[in-house]
Amino acid sequence: MRSSQAVSQVLRPSDVTDRHLKRRRMLDRLAEALILGFASVAIAIILLIFIYVGREALPLLWDNAEGATIASTFAPPVQWQPVSINPRYNVIPLLLGTLKVTLIAMLIATPFALAAALFTSEFAPVRLREIIKPAIELLAGIPSVVMGFFALIVLASWLQSQFGLAFRLNALNAGIALALAIIPIIYTVSEDALTSVPQHYREASLALGASKIQTAVRVVFPAAMPGIGAAMILGFGRAIGETMIVLMASGGAAIVSLSPFVSTRTLSATIAAELGEVVSGGGHYRILFFLDILLFVVTSILNWAGDYYNRRMRVRLFGAE
Amino acid sequence: MTKKFLTLSLLLSTLLLLGCPAPAERQTITIKGSDTLLQVGGRWAELYMNAHPDVTIQVTGGGSGTGIVALIDGTTDICQSSRPIKQEEKDKLKANKNADVSEIPVALDALAVYVHKDNPVAALTLEQVGKIFMGEITDWKDVGGMPGHIVLYGRENSSGTYVYFKEHVLQNKDFPPAYQALPGTGGVVDAVAKDKNGIGYGGIGYAKDIKTVPIKKDAASAPVEPSMANVLNNSYPISRQLFWYTAGAPQGAVKDLVDWVLGPDGQKVVSEKGFYPLKGE
């Protein structure tokens, strides 16, 4: 106490800087408080959404809303027929449809995205890479309604004329459009994983006489494997929750079939299409919120898993996070 | 800090309260009934209240039956109904309110059955359309067309059109799983236009690049085109009038509202919401 007083007495001009310092500290604290405030609001909103959705769906557990209970989501017959004299809320046709469309999208998107990532990170000259990477990432910025519209109008007709399909709008059609939407995600994350593999891995491999392709496929690619896994998981998560594309391109019929050529209805599209007009608090309403929770939980787990693999990759390559 | 906030917010709220004009003498009209007409009713109320700030209109749904009961009990001024009132309901109203019901058709509702424009089917009976959409008839050759598996298109189950079609054509039976639900009648028309084995349903106003099938009431009757004229003279089978009912002839503010609804502004709302105006367009 005493010494600081002494100092300020000795250095007269420092009165000014002292005030400056105080104001700067104030500003710092204010900014910190603001950032904290905004962050907690964001987290609170997510929590509130979760609580709200849960509150609307949970009464299914103990209540019998117009014959709808949690059991009726898996009760036979395996049909989704919510608006009926005898409503049937079996979600298996919707789960099957969701998985079918998502798998088709993954099967199409993964090879393209991984090949492109390997090419840009290992083979492409720097200038070409500077063009390709932003171009693919730009795909992610296309609104999904545009992809859906493209699939609905152009792709569906082309597929039907090529393969002579009975259903013009089908799982394959929606899956291809969905693949276009998830290619940028898988590409970006796996490209980042590949480029973060340390240069000395490549140098060591080349020095041992391996060709460029051998190095890329057998050294760099395996080293980046957890990151590539994370990329695929994140792509899967995006595909499973995507709504607009499947709503427009899949045909919306809840058929129980493994064939990719029949019309399909997914969880997300069902929620989007039906929630608008259901009676608030009724059985159908609660079941739709239950579907919401199902989707929420699945995508959360997938995002968490993606994050986990990404971190594991850092540990593997650099020894620490 | 907290004190300042409190003072400020108090000050603001007082200002806001003072800023509100004193409530004038307002008239309240209640409208209750049909969910089919709920949207149209809501829009009517909105526009009418904008033009007449002294009138408040409350619109609620609940179904035609609920509305008629409310009219009998005297808890609503106007009842919206998508079905004609029954004789016993008329009698009850007479006994309860000592008034004759006044029936005011306010809009027309009709659905066309769409097929691809190259589809040779000349006409379908109402029963055949029902069986097709229930999945009992699955091939065009069974109804006089070229052999081919029938592909069903229609609206999502959140749509009033879906419910109407299900009630009146399917007799409340269910659509089969292969029924493709599309968001919007425009989507149905587009899908049928691109699918030579497709069939769909929706408002006649949307029909473009497709064929609307003439409908026979039963096997013996003549096919009827879903034209505005046939809807107006009530010969097209998948059409109905939508009504307003009041206890006794409408009077005062209610009469003004009824006149406005039947006038050009009110009827414009009808076509805006996908129904037909009473006098055609």
Side-chain angles (χ1 to χ4, degrees):
Chain A
M1 230 1 177
R2 199 145 243 285
S3 70
S4 79
Q5 243 175 5
V7 168
S8 65
Q9 263 166 11
V10 173
L11 302 165
R12 281 254 162 239
S14 77
D15 278 2
V16 185
T17 43
D18 211 37
R19 227 182 295 147
H20 265 269
L21 208 67
K22 247 185 198 163
R23 199 194 283 164
R24 260 177 34 208
R25 282 220 185 105
M26 266 278 277
L27 272 177
D28 265 6
R29 233 177 291 158
L30 197 74
E32 210 174 289
L34 264 177
I35 290 171
L36 186 75
F38 282 128
S40 27
V41 165
I43 292 172
I45 288 174
I46 292 174
L47 268 178
L48 281 177
I49 291 175
F50 195 63
I51 291 171
Y52 173 74
V53 170
R55 205 192 57 184
E56 297 303 320
L58 284 185
L60 280 176
L61 287 178
W62 58 84
D63 211 14
N64 185 335
E66 297 163 4
T69 61
I70 209 89
S72 46
T73 56
F74 289 99
V78 187
Q79 283 172 354
W80 178 256
Q81 196 72 251
V83 177
S84 167
I85 291 178
N86 164 31
R88 278 145 286 161
Y89 300 113
N90 194 301
V91 297
I92 289 170
L94 306 180
L95 281 177
L96 187 73
T98 306
L99 286 178
K100 192 161 74 176
V101 174
T102 307
L103 277 179
I104 292 170
M106 288 299 290
L107 283 176
I108 296 167
T110 310
F112 282 109
L114 292 189
L118 209 58
F119 175 72
T120 44
S121 79
E122 303 303 312
F123 301 102
V126 179
R127 268 169 60 201
L128 191 61
R129 178 168 178 252
E130 296 300 304
I131 298 169
I132 294 179
K133 197 166 181 214
I136 294 183
E137 281 166 1
L138 210 64
L139 258 181
I142 298 178
S144 55
V145 67
V146 176
M147 305 265 194
F149 191 73
F150 166 75
L152 177 68
I153 303 292
V154 182
L155 186 62
S157 295
W158 183 80
L159 282 176
Q160 191 177 34
S161 65
Q162 288 300 304
F163 300 108
L165 306 175
F167 287 100
R168 190 174 156 272
L169 300 173
N170 52 51
L172 180 66
N173 184 39
I176 294 174
L178 208 51
L180 288 178
I182 62 172
I183 280 177
I185 294 172
I186 302 181
Y187 168 79
T188 312
V189 180
S190 52
E191 214 265 353
D192 285 346
L194 288 168
T195 41
S196 69
V197 173
Q199 200 54 32
H200 57 251
Y201 277 49
R202 297 184 185 86
E203 282 158 4
S205 167
L206 292 172
L208 288 172
S211 71
K212 250 186 139 178
I213 292 180
Q214 283 170 325
T215 306
V217 175
R218 296 168 76 167
V219 176
V220 181
F221 196 82
M225 208 54 208
I228 286 161
M232 289 172 65
I233 290 170
L234 292 176
F236 195 89
R238 163 80 202 272
I240 214 166
E242 170 54 50
T243 305
M244 207 56 213
I245 292 175
V246 284
L247 187 63
M248 295 174 83
S250 70
I255 304 172
V256 182
S257 156
L258 289 175
S259 161
F261 304 117
V262 301
S263 186
T264 305
R265 194 174 184 84
T266 68
L267 283 172
S268 54
T270 301
I271 298 168
E274 298 180 9
L275 198 55
E277 291 285 323
V278 289
V279 183
S280 174
H284 187 192
Y285 175 86
R286 298 219 184 284
I287 297 269
L288 288 180
F289 272 95
F290 171 71
L291 297 188
D292 245 343
I293 290 189
L294 222 59
L295 261 183
F296 194 97
V297 169
V298 170
T299 43
S300 297
I301 291 175
L302 288 174
N303 277 340
W304 174 82
D307 193 48
Y308 170 78
Y309 276 109
N310 243 341
R311 248 182 295 159
R312 224 182 72 177
M313 155 126 176
R314 307 226 162 275
V315 175
R316 181 158 155 179
L317 289 179
F318 307 110
E321 281 187 34
Chain B
M1 190 80 154
T2 332
K3 217 171 167 187
K4 244 188 209 166
F5 264 125
L6 274 176
T7 340
L8 197 70
S9 46
L10 261 175
L11 210 72
L12 272 174
S13 40
T14 333
L15 275 177
L16 278 173
L17 274 175
L18 287 176
C20 283
E25 199 56 44
R26 294 182 78 96
Q27 244 172 328
T28 304
I29 302 174
T30 53
I31 302 177
K32 195 178 173 72
S34 163
D35 286 322
T36 310
L37 272 171
L38 187 56
Q39 282 208 357
V40 185
R43 184 83 181 127
W44 275 331
E46 197 184 321
L47 291 177
Y48 192 77
M49 282 192 286
N50 282 346
H52 304 80
D54 54 323
V55 179
T56 306
I57 305 175
Q58 291 172 350
V59 187
T60 43
S64 304
T66 322
I68 292 173
V69 170
L71 191 70
I72 293 169
D73 293 342
T75 55
T76 187
D77 299 314
I78 298 167
C79 154
Q80 304 200 97
S81 178
S82 57
R83 64 167 169 84
I85 193 167
K86 293 175 195 153
Q87 186 57 46
E88 67 236 43
E89 289 165 339
K90 281 186 192 171
D91 295 343
K92 264 192 200 161
L93 187 73
K94 182 89 187 161
N96 227 10
K97 302 275 291 179
N98 195 25
D100 286 316
V101 75
S102 163
E103 183 178 272
I104 308 149
V106 290
L108 298 171
D109 188 10
L111 292 184
V113 174
Y114 313 135
V115 294
H116 191 267
K117 61 178 185 294
D118 297 334
N119 193 317
V121 170
L124 291 170
T125 67
L126 205 52
E127 197 194 350
Q128 281 174 324
V129 176
K131 280 189 170 165
I132 288 171
F133 274 98
M134 278 182 259
E136 286 174 19
I137 297 176
T138 56
D139 202 297
W140 280 113
K141 70 178 192 303
D142 297 332
V143 288
M146 305 281 284
H149 197 272
I150 302 175
V151 183
L152 308 175
Y153 297 99
R155 298 290 308 279
E156 285 285 355
N157 58 34
S158 57
S159 138
T161 313
Y162 170 99
V163 175
Y164 175 50
F165 195 80
K166 185 169 182 157
E167 275 173 14
H168 292 85
V169 182
L170 273 65
Q171 310 304 331
N172 261 326
K173 302 229 176 55
D174 289 327
F175 290 99
Y179 167 82
Q180 296 186 59
L182 303 177
T185 303
V188 177
V189 170
D190 185 67
V192 174
K194 293 193 162 103
D195 190 336
K196 65 178 173 37
N197 288 323
I199 186 168
Y201 61 85
I204 181 79
Y206 291 88
K208 207 181 147 213
D209 295 330
I210 41 126
K211 182 167 130 183
T212 53
V213 189
I215 302 293
K216 298 198 257 182
K217 209 164 206 148
D218 47 59
S221 53
V224 182
E225 291 273 359
S227 65
M228 188 71 79
N230 288 335
V231 172
L232 286 171
N233 70 20
N234 215 7
S235 60
Y236 184 67
I238 331 176
S239 75
R240 57 179 174 173
Q241 286 182 305
L242 303 171
F243 303 102
W244 270 14
Y245 289 107
T246 56
Q251 285 167 354
V254 175
K255 181 167 192 323
D256 292 342
L257 175 62
V258 168
D259 289 344
W260 180 85
V261 159
L262 297 178
D265 289 343
Q267 291 297 298
K268 214 175 105 192
V269 173
V270 170
S271 32
E272 232 175 69
K273 293 287 176 189
F275 299 101
Y276 295 111
L278 291 168
K279 301 190 176 85
E281 275 165 331

